[in-house]
């Protein structure tokens, strides 16, 4: 009653039922409220049908008006359920007009059905496996509303367009257009890329200027080239080959790191990854300081925040989703790790009152190596928990929409003691990540982490 006024227009008989046609009138022009007619069954007070419209004055973004027509039918002596639903939406954006038309029919009613506690889960949409393989006879028997002439024409056009886009000549033309070489992209844009639409392959090379504009006190100025090759298959499986090379102009070191990843079973998001090589890496394995930011601070503010050591390693990782919102990963890595020290103190900004710190994170004032060369065999197990993760299921993959709750990460690391390794420890950690909305001020990312050791028999360096 706060939003609407009602006016009885007329009453009429439908079989043995007396139906009242009632006009629905919104009280205020700019409320999100409908106008139109609703039809009510005498005595049962069920909805017989309705014709309602909500217009542009209701302040719905990009929408000019929405028209809804619904017809209900009796399924028991006292209960009516929807038989048909017809929704027409009109849009008007930047001077362009468009409309959409939806028609749905309902059958096989199960009134007062008892649902199990787990019936309504986080799945918001599902496409059955055979949905795209039905022939025309199935739709002729199942579709209760005839297609309009415009819809029939659009289907024919859609089939023709799909046939053209799947042809080799079309894909070759798209490939040629997408692979047009531009020197600015190679130097400072998005890098060089080459795609073969027909073979579903792509190659990417990072821009050369970005590759060369890198600097830290350990390696000085260095060039870092990253390239990757990607191959997609019909079942949505994906193979990715990546290769990173780095050369230091100061200490003349050459680093390389190949990686091969294969993503399969896209329903359960399974993957396996092999990687290795020789590289300089940050002590923090999550690389919180990007190469660009570290270059900026080192050259312009005389702050060398990132600390590095050298690692020669081979690593295998496997991961998958166990349950919705629960992902597990495990890896086994063998590595030979060596300390690194600063080899230069160049900075564009000269600040005599300020000195660089050493590359020793435990003792920033000492130029001695942070640790002794050691070998380790490290096994890790990680769990990622996303409470209330919403998702949609398609015939050959699962689309995840995320969660409004914080994301929890739980991890365990075991340095396995052997005759050829120098470490033996057990480490655990728990991390929570959340994104906080600050409305007009933007968003803020929050991370809280705790951890410790069960065993530090030979905790040379972790």
């Amino acid at each position: 009653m706060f939003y609407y006024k009602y006016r009885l227009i007329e009453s009429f008989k439908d079989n043995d039922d007396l139906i009242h046609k009632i006009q629905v009138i919104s009280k205020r022009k700019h409320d999100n409220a409908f106008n139109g007619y609703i039809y009510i069954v005498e005595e049962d007070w069920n909805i017989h049908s309705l014709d309602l419209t909500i217009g542009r004055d209701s302040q719905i973004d990009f929408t000019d008006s929405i028209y809804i027509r619904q017809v209900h039918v009796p399924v028991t002596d006292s209960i009516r359920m929807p038989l048909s639903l017809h929704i027409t939406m009109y849009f008007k954006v930047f001077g362009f007009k468009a409309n959409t038309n939806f028609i749905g029919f309902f059958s096989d009613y199960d009134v007062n059905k008892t649902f199990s506690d787990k019936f309504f889960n986080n799945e918001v949409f599902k496409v059955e496996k055979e949905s795209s393989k039905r022939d025309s006879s199935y739709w002729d028997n199942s579709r209760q509303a005839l297609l309009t002439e415009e819809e029939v024409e659009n289907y024919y056009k859609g089939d023709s367009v799909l046939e053209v886009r799947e042809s080799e000549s079309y894909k070759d033309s798209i490939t040629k257009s997408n692979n047009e070489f531009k020197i600015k992209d190679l130097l400072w844009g998005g890098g060089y890329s080459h795609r073969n639409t027909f073979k579903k392959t792509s190659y990417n090379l990072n821009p050369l200027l970005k590759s060369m504009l890198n600097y830290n006190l350990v390696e000085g100025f260095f060039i870092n080239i990253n390239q990757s090759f990607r191959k997609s298959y019909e079942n949505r499986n994906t193979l990715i080959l990546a290769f990173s090379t780095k050369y230091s102009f100061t200490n003349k070191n050459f680093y390389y790191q190949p990686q091969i990843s294969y993503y399969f079973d896209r329903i359960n998001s399974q993957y396996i990854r092999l990687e290795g090589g020789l590289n300089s890496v940050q002590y923090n394995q999550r690389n919180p300081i990007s190469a660009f930011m570290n270059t900026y601070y080192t050259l312009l503010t005389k702050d060398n925040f990132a600390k590095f050591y050298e690692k020669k390693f081979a690593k295998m990782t496997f991961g998958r989703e166990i349950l919705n919102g629960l992902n597990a990963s495990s890896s086994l890595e063998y590595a030979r790790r060596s300390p690194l020290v600063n080899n230069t103190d160049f900075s564009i900004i000269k600040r005599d009152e300020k000195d660089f710190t050493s590359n020793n994170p435990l003792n920033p004032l000492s130029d001695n190596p942070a640790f002794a060369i050691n070998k380790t065999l490290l096994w890790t197990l990680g769990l990622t928990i996303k409470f209330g993760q919403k998702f949609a299921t398609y015939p050959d993959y699962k689309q995840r929409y995320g969660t409004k709750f914080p994301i929890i990460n739980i991890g365990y690391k075991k340095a396995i003691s052997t005759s050829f390794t120098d470490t033996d420890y057990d480490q655990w950690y728990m991390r929570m990540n959340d994104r906080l909305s600050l409305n007009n001020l933007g968003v803020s990312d929050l991370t809280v982490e705790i951890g410790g050791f069960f065993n530090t028999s030979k905790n040379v360096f972790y």
Side-chain angles (χ1 to χ4, degrees):
M1 294 296 183
F2 181 78
Y3 289 96
Y4 295 103
K5 297 184 292 183
Y6 302 95
R7 180 180 294 121
L8 177 63
I9 302 301
E10 63 174 329
S11 300
F12 59 90
K13 281 281 188 176
D14 181 17
N15 296 324
D16 295 330
D17 296 319
L18 179 63
I19 310 300
H20 301 295
K21 179 181 179 181
I22 300 171
Q23 185 178 8
V24 178
I25 307 167
S26 59
K27 288 187 174 181
R28 287 166 294 276
K29 183 177 181 180
H30 298 292
D31 278 348
N32 294 134
F34 289 95
N35 287 277
Y37 299 93
I38 187 168
Y39 300 78
I40 302 296
V41 182
E42 175 72 20
E43 294 185 356
D44 290 336
W45 312 118
N46 289 328
I47 297 176
H48 172 275
S49 56
L50 56 87
D51 291 279
L52 298 173
T53 302
I54 187 168
R56 68 178 69 179
D57 292 331
S58 297
Q59 305 176 59
I60 303 176
D61 291 341
F62 305 114
T63 304
D64 189 73
S65 60
I66 303 174
Y67 169 77
I68 299 176
R69 176 174 174 78
Q70 197 173 69
V71 176
H72 292 224
V73 293
V75 294
T76 70
D77 291 339
S78 60
I79 296 177
R80 287 177 178 253
M81 296 291 288
L83 170 66
S84 64
L85 174 64
H86 184 188
I87 302 176
T88 303
M89 304 176 65
Y90 296 91
F91 302 93
K92 186 176 182 181
V93 182
F94 304 124
F96 295 94
K97 295 183 179 180
N99 70 282
T100 60
N101 200 39
F102 301 92
I103 300 178
F105 290 90
F106 306 88
S107 60
D108 300 328
Y109 302 100
D110 191 351
V111 181
N112 295 327
K113 178 179 176 64
T114 301
F115 296 97
S116 63
D117 293 338
K118 297 182 179 180
F119 181 82
F120 295 101
N121 54 30
N122 292 309
E123 186 177 38
V124 297
F125 184 75
K126 184 175 183 178
V127 178
E128 299 293 346
K129 291 184 177 181
E130 301 300 321
S131 61
S132 61
K133 300 179 181 179
R134 303 290 190 181
D135 56 21
S136 58
S137 61
Y138 170 84
W139 293 110
D140 289 340
N141 295 327
S142 301
R143 185 183 287 117
Q144 300 186 36
L146 295 177
L147 295 177
T148 65
E149 292 183 3
E150 184 180 18
E151 287 173 325
V152 173
E153 183 180 355
N154 284 336
Y155 274 117
Y156 279 120
K157 288 182 179 179
D159 289 341
S160 300
V161 169
L162 179 62
E163 184 177 351
V164 170
R165 289 183 174 178
E166 290 297 320
S167 66
E168 185 171 358
S169 59
Y170 177 81
K171 289 184 176 181
D172 284 344
S173 65
I174 294 298
T175 298
K176 184 177 180 180
S177 175
N178 289 338
N179 295 332
E180 182 181 355
F181 178 78
K182 297 178 181 179
I183 188 65
K184 67 178 183 65
D185 289 337
L186 178 61
L187 293 179
W188 62 80
Y192 172 73
S193 64
H194 184 279
R195 293 175 175 82
N196 189 312
T197 308
F198 191 74
K199 295 182 179 180
K200 296 184 177 180
T201 60
S202 64
Y203 169 80
N204 292 278
L205 174 68
N206 63 328
L208 295 182
L209 286 181
K210 183 178 179 181
S211 302
M212 293 185 290
L213 296 178
N214 297 286
Y215 176 76
N216 61 57
L217 298 188
V218 174
E219 299 163 296
F221 288 99
F222 63 92
I223 183 170
N224 187 18
I225 298 177
N226 296 299
Q227 49 191 325
S228 64
F229 172 81
R230 182 187 185 100
K231 166 68 176 176
S232 299
Y233 300 91
E234 295 295 336
N235 56 6
R236 289 185 178 269
N237 290 356
T238 304
L239 175 68
I240 300 177
L241 306 176
F243 192 65
S244 173
T245 53
K246 183 164 58 176
Y247 178 75
S248 167
F249 295 101
T250 298
N251 55 27
K252 311 301 181 183
N253 282 348
F254 175 74
Y255 294 119
Y256 56 92
Q257 185 171 331
Q259 182 185 98
I260 177 171
S261 303
Y262 185 63
Y263 297 85
F264 59 101
D265 185 6
R266 302 311 293 266
I267 295 292
N268 295 306
S269 192
Q270 293 193 97
Y271 70 92
I272 187 169
R273 180 178 298 123
L274 300 174
E275 58 185 319
L278 174 67
N279 208 348
S280 61
V281 297
Q282 292 187 48
Y283 281 86
N284 189 331
Q285 296 294 301
R286 296 203 300 272
N287 295 316
I289 305 174
S290 68
F292 172 79
M293 292 305 298
N294 189 64
T295 299
Y296 169 82
Y297 279 107
T298 306
L299 291 176
L300 300 180
T301 69
K302 209 173 182 179
D303 288 307
N304 56 320
F305 294 118
K307 308 298 179 183
F308 304 90
Y309 69 95
E310 185 179 270
K311 182 169 74 168
K312 188 175 186 179
F313 72 106
K315 182 178 181 181
M316 179 176 67
T317 305
F318 173 78
R320 64 160 291 165
E321 183 180 65
I322 302 175
L323 301 170
N324 179 55
L326 177 62
N327 290 71
S329 65
S330 181
S331 66
L332 184 65
E333 176 184 9
Y334 176 74
R336 180 184 185 274
R337 303 175 297 195
S338 305
L340 295 172
V341 296
N342 291 343
N343 289 292
T344 180
D345 60 356
F346 173 76
S347 178
I348 295 176
I349 302 300
K350 305 299 181 181
R351 298 177 62 182
D352 296 334
E353 78 283 0
K354 187 175 184 179
D355 293 324
F356 285 117
T357 59
S358 72
N359 192 52
N360 186 336
L362 299 178
N363 189 353
L365 300 181
S366 172
D367 290 323
N368 294 326
F371 60 92
I373 296 176
N374 64 83
K375 299 175 182 178
T376 186
L377 182 62
L378 186 63
W379 174 65
T380 63
L381 177 65
L383 294 175
T384 300
I385 307 172
K386 300 178 181 179
F387 295 103
Q389 175 181 262
K390 303 294 183 182
F391 66 95
T393 304
Y394 294 86
D396 53 0
Y397 75 102
K398 176 180 177 181
Q399 184 173 354
R400 295 159 180 85
Y401 296 121
T403 174
K404 63 180 180 180
F405 301 103
I407 298 175
I408 307 297
N409 293 276
I410 302 173
Y412 169 72
K413 297 180 181 180
K414 171 61 180 176
I416 303 172
S417 177
T418 68
S419 59
F420 54 85
T421 60
D422 306 305
T423 57
D424 180 8
Y425 64 86
D426 297 84
Q427 182 190 12
W428 67 275
Y429 69 87
M430 181 179 294
R431 183 170 61 250
M432 183 195 75
N433 298 285
D434 197 10
R435 171 159 289 191
L436 307 177
S437 173
L438 304 177
N439 298 323
N440 294 335
L441 297 178
V443 295
S444 178
D445 291 321
L446 172 68
T447 299
V448 178
E449 184 171 0
I450 59 174
F453 291 88
F454 299 124
N455 158 44
T456 57
S457 298
K458 288 191 292 184
N459 185 10
V460 176
F461 155 67
Y462 60 93

